[in-house]
mmCIF file of all heavy atoms in Angstrom:
data_model
loop_
_atom_site.group_PDB
_atom_site.id
_atom_site.type_symbol
_atom_site.label_atom_id
_atom_site.label_comp_id
_atom_site.label_asym_id
_atom_site.label_seq_id
_atom_site.Cartn_x
_atom_site.Cartn_y
_atom_site.Cartn_z
ATOM 1 N N ASN A 453 -16.778 3.350 -4.225
ATOM 2 C CA ASN A 453 -18.021 4.068 -4.447
ATOM 3 C C ASN A 453 -17.819 5.133 -5.538
ATOM 4 O O ASN A 453 -16.779 5.790 -5.572
ATOM 5 C CB ASN A 453 -18.434 4.740 -3.131
ATOM 6 C CG ASN A 453 -19.781 5.404 -3.208
ATOM 7 O OD1 ASN A 453 -19.939 6.414 -3.868
ATOM 8 N ND2 ASN A 453 -20.750 4.850 -2.509
ATOM 9 N N PRO A 454 -18.782 5.302 -6.446
ATOM 10 C CA PRO A 454 -18.613 6.269 -7.535
ATOM 11 C C PRO A 454 -18.391 7.697 -7.046
ATOM 12 O O PRO A 454 -17.744 8.495 -7.726
ATOM 13 C CB PRO A 454 -19.912 6.146 -8.334
ATOM 14 C CG PRO A 454 -20.875 5.438 -7.457
ATOM 15 C CD PRO A 454 -20.058 4.561 -6.577
ATOM 16 N N ARG A 455 -18.913 8.040 -5.883
ATOM 17 C CA ARG A 455 -18.695 9.380 -5.346
ATOM 18 C C ARG A 455 -17.251 9.576 -4.897
ATOM 19 O O ARG A 455 -16.751 10.694 -4.854
ATOM 20 C CB ARG A 455 -19.646 9.634 -4.163
ATOM 21 C CG ARG A 455 -21.108 9.775 -4.560
ATOM 22 C CD ARG A 455 -21.335 11.046 -5.395
ATOM 23 N NE ARG A 455 -22.752 11.231 -5.695
ATOM 24 C CZ ARG A 455 -23.341 10.812 -6.793
ATOM 25 N NH1 ARG A 455 -22.649 10.182 -7.703
ATOM 26 N NH2 ARG A 455 -24.631 11.026 -6.981
ATOM 27 N N LEU A 456 -16.568 8.484 -4.550
ATOM 28 C CA LEU A 456 -15.148 8.555 -4.214
ATOM 29 C C LEU A 456 -14.301 8.560 -5.477
ATOM 30 O O LEU A 456 -13.233 9.164 -5.521
ATOM 31 C CB LEU A 456 -14.748 7.353 -3.340
ATOM 32 C CG LEU A 456 -15.457 7.214 -1.995
ATOM 33 C CD1 LEU A 456 -14.996 5.937 -1.298
ATOM 34 C CD2 LEU A 456 -15.187 8.421 -1.113
ATOM 35 N N PRO A 482 -25.523 2.960 4.767
ATOM 36 C CA PRO A 482 -24.400 3.894 4.898
ATOM 37 C C PRO A 482 -24.239 4.393 6.329
ATOM 38 O O PRO A 482 -25.191 4.462 7.100
ATOM 39 C CB PRO A 482 -24.791 5.044 3.952
ATOM 40 C CG PRO A 482 -25.731 4.422 2.976
ATOM 41 C CD PRO A 482 -26.499 3.400 3.751
ATOM 42 N N LEU A 483 -23.012 4.739 6.679
ATOM 43 C CA LEU A 483 -22.723 5.233 8.021
ATOM 44 C C LEU A 483 -23.505 6.511 8.316
ATOM 45 O O LEU A 483 -23.729 7.338 7.434
ATOM 46 C CB LEU A 483 -21.233 5.521 8.179
ATOM 47 C CG LEU A 483 -20.230 4.391 7.934
ATOM 48 C CD1 LEU A 483 -18.838 4.861 8.298
ATOM 49 C CD2 LEU A 483 -20.598 3.143 8.696
ATOM 50 N N TRP A 486 -21.851 10.270 7.591
ATOM 51 C CA TRP A 486 -21.905 11.100 6.396
ATOM 52 C C TRP A 486 -23.021 12.137 6.482
ATOM 53 O O TRP A 486 -24.091 11.851 7.018
ATOM 54 C CB TRP A 486 -22.106 10.235 5.146
ATOM 55 C CG TRP A 486 -21.266 9.013 5.106
ATOM 56 C CD1 TRP A 486 -21.693 7.729 4.932
ATOM 57 C CD2 TRP A 486 -19.846 8.937 5.274
ATOM 58 N NE1 TRP A 486 -20.636 6.861 4.964
ATOM 59 C CE2 TRP A 486 -19.492 7.573 5.177
ATOM 60 C CE3 TRP A 486 -18.847 9.882 5.489
ATOM 61 C CZ2 TRP A 486 -18.174 7.139 5.289
ATOM 62 C CZ3 TRP A 486 -17.526 9.448 5.612
ATOM 63 C CH2 TRP A 486 -17.199 8.102 5.511
ATOM 64 N N LYS A 487 -22.763 13.292 5.897
ATOM 65 C CA LYS A 487 -23.779 14.337 5.891
ATOM 66 C C LYS A 487 -24.938 13.943 4.996
ATOM 67 O O LYS A 487 -26.104 14.194 5.311
ATOM 68 C CB LYS A 487 -23.163 15.653 5.420
ATOM 69 C CG LYS A 487 -24.018 16.864 5.714
ATOM 70 C CD LYS A 487 -23.223 18.141 5.621
ATOM 71 C CE LYS A 487 -24.043 19.343 6.042
ATOM 72 N NZ LYS A 487 -23.273 20.601 5.957
ATOM 73 N N TYR A 488 -24.598 13.310 3.859
ATOM 74 C CA TYR A 488 -25.616 12.780 2.952
ATOM 75 C C TYR A 488 -25.283 11.324 2.684
ATOM 76 O O TYR A 488 -24.142 11.004 2.315
ATOM 77 C CB TYR A 488 -25.648 13.576 1.639
ATOM 78 C CG TYR A 488 -25.977 15.039 1.845
ATOM 79 C CD1 TYR A 488 -24.974 16.007 1.778
ATOM 80 C CD2 TYR A 488 -27.277 15.446 2.129
ATOM 81 C CE1 TYR A 488 -25.259 17.347 1.976
ATOM 82 C CE2 TYR A 488 -27.581 16.780 2.335
ATOM 83 C CZ TYR A 488 -26.565 17.727 2.261
ATOM 84 O OH TYR A 488 -26.858 19.049 2.479
ATOM 85 N N ARG A 489 -26.237 10.454 2.845
ATOM 86 C CA ARG A 489 -25.988 9.017 2.780
ATOM 87 C C ARG A 489 -25.417 8.560 1.441
ATOM 88 O O ARG A 489 -24.675 7.582 1.372
ATOM 89 C CB ARG A 489 -27.265 8.233 3.096
ATOM 90 C CG ARG A 489 -28.437 8.565 2.197
ATOM 91 C CD ARG A 489 -29.695 7.805 2.609
ATOM 92 N NE ARG A 489 -29.532 6.375 2.451
ATOM 93 C CZ ARG A 489 -29.666 5.503 3.443
ATOM 94 N NH1 ARG A 489 -29.953 5.920 4.650
ATOM 95 N NH2 ARG A 489 -29.522 4.223 3.215
ATOM 96 N N GLU A 490 -25.738 9.293 0.344
ATOM 97 C CA GLU A 490 -25.227 8.887 -0.972
ATOM 98 C C GLU A 490 -23.854 9.492 -1.269
ATOM 99 O O GLU A 490 -23.288 9.257 -2.333
ATOM 100 C CB GLU A 490 -26.228 9.275 -2.072
ATOM 101 C CG GLU A 490 -26.329 10.766 -2.374
ATOM 102 C CD GLU A 490 -27.221 11.521 -1.401
ATOM 103 O OE1 GLU A 490 -27.728 10.888 -0.447
ATOM 104 O OE2 GLU A 490 -27.427 12.731 -1.609
ATOM 105 N N THR A 491 -23.315 10.270 -0.330
ATOM 106 C CA THR A 491 -22.004 10.901 -0.534
ATOM 107 C C THR A 491 -21.097 10.533 0.633
ATOM 108 O O THR A 491 -20.965 11.280 1.602
ATOM 109 C CB THR A 491 -22.141 12.435 -0.615
ATOM 110 O OG1 THR A 491 -23.192 12.764 -1.531
ATOM 111 C CG2 THR A 491 -20.849 13.078 -1.092
ATOM 112 N N PRO A 492 -20.445 9.379 0.557
ATOM 113 C CA PRO A 492 -19.689 8.851 1.707
ATOM 114 C C PRO A 492 -18.268 9.398 1.829
ATOM 115 O O PRO A 492 -17.287 8.641 1.837
ATOM 116 C CB PRO A 492 -19.687 7.348 1.441
ATOM 117 C CG PRO A 492 -19.638 7.253 -0.044
ATOM 118 C CD PRO A 492 -20.455 8.414 -0.565
ATOM 119 N N HIS A 493 -18.152 10.709 1.897
ATOM 120 C CA HIS A 493 -16.830 11.289 2.153
ATOM 121 C C HIS A 493 -16.981 12.602 2.901
ATOM 122 O O HIS A 493 -17.985 13.308 2.760
ATOM 123 C CB HIS A 493 -16.031 11.472 0.861
ATOM 124 C CG HIS A 493 -16.715 12.339 -0.179
ATOM 125 N ND1 HIS A 493 -16.986 13.675 0.009
ATOM 126 C CD2 HIS A 493 -17.155 12.049 -1.432
ATOM 127 C CE1 HIS A 493 -17.559 14.181 -1.062
ATOM 128 N NE2 HIS A 493 -17.687 13.202 -1.958
ATOM 129 N N ARG A 656 -20.524 19.884 -2.508
ATOM 130 C CA ARG A 656 -21.356 18.787 -1.999
ATOM 131 C C ARG A 656 -21.689 18.950 -0.518
ATOM 132 O O ARG A 656 -22.295 18.068 0.081
ATOM 133 C CB ARG A 656 -20.628 17.455 -2.214
ATOM 134 C CG ARG A 656 -20.469 17.074 -3.671
ATOM 135 C CD ARG A 656 -19.717 15.762 -3.818
ATOM 136 N NE ARG A 656 -19.656 15.331 -5.205
ATOM 137 C CZ ARG A 656 -18.998 14.249 -5.628
ATOM 138 N NH1 ARG A 656 -18.351 13.492 -4.759
ATOM 139 N NH2 ARG A 656 -18.986 13.926 -6.907
ATOM 140 N N CYS A 658 -19.666 18.838 1.983
ATOM 141 C CA CYS A 658 -18.972 17.783 2.715
ATOM 142 C C CYS A 658 -17.679 18.278 3.364
ATOM 143 O O CYS A 658 -16.787 17.476 3.669
ATOM 144 C CB CYS A 658 -18.674 16.604 1.795
ATOM 145 S SG CYS A 658 -20.154 15.702 1.294
ATOM 146 N N VAL A 684 -32.712 3.854 -2.027
ATOM 147 C CA VAL A 684 -32.112 4.673 -3.068
ATOM 148 C C VAL A 684 -31.952 3.804 -4.305
ATOM 149 O O VAL A 684 -31.327 2.757 -4.259
ATOM 150 C CB VAL A 684 -30.718 5.203 -2.619
ATOM 151 C CG1 VAL A 684 -30.099 6.035 -3.731
ATOM 152 C CG2 VAL A 684 -30.863 6.021 -1.347
ATOM 153 N N THR A 685 -32.520 4.224 -5.429
ATOM 154 C CA THR A 685 -32.419 3.438 -6.646
ATOM 155 C C THR A 685 -31.047 3.615 -7.272
ATOM 156 O O THR A 685 -30.322 4.554 -6.983
ATOM 157 C CB THR A 685 -33.481 3.858 -7.674
ATOM 158 O OG1 THR A 685 -33.177 5.188 -8.108
ATOM 159 C CG2 THR A 685 -34.874 3.809 -7.082
ATOM 160 N N GLU A 688 -30.762 6.967 -9.004
ATOM 161 C CA GLU A 688 -30.519 8.081 -8.091
ATOM 162 C C GLU A 688 -29.078 8.038 -7.570
ATOM 163 O O GLU A 688 -28.424 9.057 -7.441
ATOM 164 C CB GLU A 688 -31.502 8.007 -6.914
ATOM 165 C CG GLU A 688 -32.948 8.281 -7.292
ATOM 166 C CD GLU A 688 -33.887 7.969 -6.151
ATOM 167 O OE1 GLU A 688 -33.536 7.122 -5.308
ATOM 168 O OE2 GLU A 688 -34.969 8.558 -6.121
ATOM 169 N N PHE A 689 -28.612 6.818 -7.289
ATOM 170 C CA PHE A 689 -27.274 6.670 -6.717
ATOM 171 C C PHE A 689 -26.189 7.107 -7.694
ATOM 172 O O PHE A 689 -25.194 7.717 -7.323
ATOM 173 C CB PHE A 689 -27.065 5.204 -6.326
ATOM 174 C CG PHE A 689 -25.829 4.980 -5.510
ATOM 175 C CD1 PHE A 689 -25.850 5.155 -4.137
ATOM 176 C CD2 PHE A 689 -24.642 4.590 -6.104
ATOM 177 C CE1 PHE A 689 -24.718 4.943 -3.376
ATOM 178 C CE2 PHE A 689 -23.506 4.372 -5.355
ATOM 179 C CZ PHE A 689 -23.537 4.546 -3.985
ATOM 180 N N TYR A 690 -26.380 6.786 -8.980
ATOM 181 C CA TYR A 690 -25.373 7.096 -9.991
ATOM 182 C C TYR A 690 -25.555 8.471 -10.627
ATOM 183 O O TYR A 690 -24.809 8.837 -11.531
ATOM 184 C CB TYR A 690 -25.397 6.046 -11.110
ATOM 185 C CG TYR A 690 -24.742 4.752 -10.726
ATOM 186 C CD1 TYR A 690 -25.503 3.593 -10.559
ATOM 187 C CD2 TYR A 690 -23.371 4.676 -10.539
ATOM 188 C CE1 TYR A 690 -24.896 2.399 -10.208
ATOM 189 C CE2 TYR A 690 -22.765 3.483 -10.201
ATOM 190 C CZ TYR A 690 -23.527 2.352 -10.039
ATOM 191 O OH TYR A 690 -22.913 1.184 -9.708
ATOM 192 N N LYS A 691 -26.526 9.227 -10.152
ATOM 193 C CA LYS A 691 -26.793 10.532 -10.753
ATOM 194 C C LYS A 691 -25.549 11.414 -10.707
ATOM 195 O O LYS A 691 -24.919 11.588 -9.676
ATOM 196 C CB LYS A 691 -27.940 11.234 -10.019
ATOM 197 C CG LYS A 691 -28.386 12.525 -10.703
ATOM 198 C CD LYS A 691 -29.585 13.114 -9.986
ATOM 199 C CE LYS A 691 -30.042 14.403 -10.681
ATOM 200 N NZ LYS A 691 -31.205 14.996 -10.005
#
Side-chain angles (χ1 to χ4, degrees):
N453 186 290
R455 290 293 184 266
L456 299 177
L483 302 186
W486 316 126
K487 195 163 185 180
Y488 299 104
R489 57 183 296 122
E490 72 278 3
T491 311
H493 58 64
R656 293 179 175 176
C658 291
V684 179
T685 67
E688 291 170 334
F689 190 85
Y690 283 111
K691 187 176 181 180

